[in-house]
Amino acid sequence: MVAVIVAAHGHLAEGLIASSAMIAGPQEDLVAVTFDPSEGPDDLLAKYAAAVEKSSSDHYLILVDLLGGSPYNAAARFAAQREDADVVTGVNLPMLIEVLGRRMIGGTLPELVETARTAGAGGVKVLSEIFTPTTTESDDEGDEL
């Protein structure tokens, strides 16, 4: 199984995991890593190491909020030293739900990375682009039989 670590500024990671549990149920090897204002990169590296230490998995997917943010920078440093880990940015609820679903049917780390990429981007929709109001007026108004 691939462990999933969700890391973000503040308590976003905890919220995403709590919300995912409402939809997909509680999950094993799913960990939130918070990044508080008083912390630095070394704190995040220690949290990633602790999450891996506690895990029974042999592969690790780290989903982070922002490319270039501290959770990403520390995750990139952490994963760069390992062949069993990868990082995907832009974590959102659709991404997390799809990753967990794919993981439940035995998805490998590369498969979960691709699932995260596709579901994360695919979860972004714009109402005005997907909703077309229907009209009840006929084009032939006044031409009643």
Side-chain angles (χ1 to χ4, degrees):
M1 180 190 283
V2 178
V4 177
I5 301 167
V6 180
H9 292 80
H11 297 276
L12 176 62
E14 293 170 334
L16 286 170
I17 289 175
S19 294
S20 73
M22 292 176 65
I23 298 165
Q27 301 285 315
E28 292 182 25
D29 255 345
L30 174 61
V31 178
V33 169
T34 60
F35 178 57
D36 292 319
S38 63
E39 296 178 319
D42 290 336
D43 297 304
L44 286 165
L45 287 169
K47 290 179 181 185
Y48 295 140
V52 166
E53 243 178 68
K54 292 178 187 174
S55 172
S56 60
S57 296
D58 54 0
H59 290 91
Y60 310 93
L61 175 58
I62 306 173
L63 304 175
V64 299
D65 55 358
L66 296 171
L67 176 68
S70 295
Y72 168 79
N73 292 338
R77 282 178 50 198
F78 183 80
Q81 300 172 8
R82 314 176 63 95
E83 292 185 14
D84 60 356
D86 208 344
V87 181
V88 177
T89 65
V91 66
N92 58 34
L93 191 55
M95 175 192 291
L96 182 56
I97 296 299
E98 291 295 324
V99 164
L100 295 175
R102 181 71 181 119
R103 184 178 77 156
M104 287 195 304
I105 60 171
T108 64
L109 181 58
E111 290 170 339
L112 294 185
V113 166
E114 187 54 35
T115 297
R117 177 194 336 259
T118 303
V124 177
K125 304 291 183 201
V126 177
L127 177 64
S128 62
E129 293 174 1
I130 61 173
F131 177 72
T132 305
T134 58
T135 59
T136 57
E137 294 182 35
S138 169
D139 289 344
D140 297 326
E141 192 171 281
D143 291 342
E144 298 171 343
L145 296 176

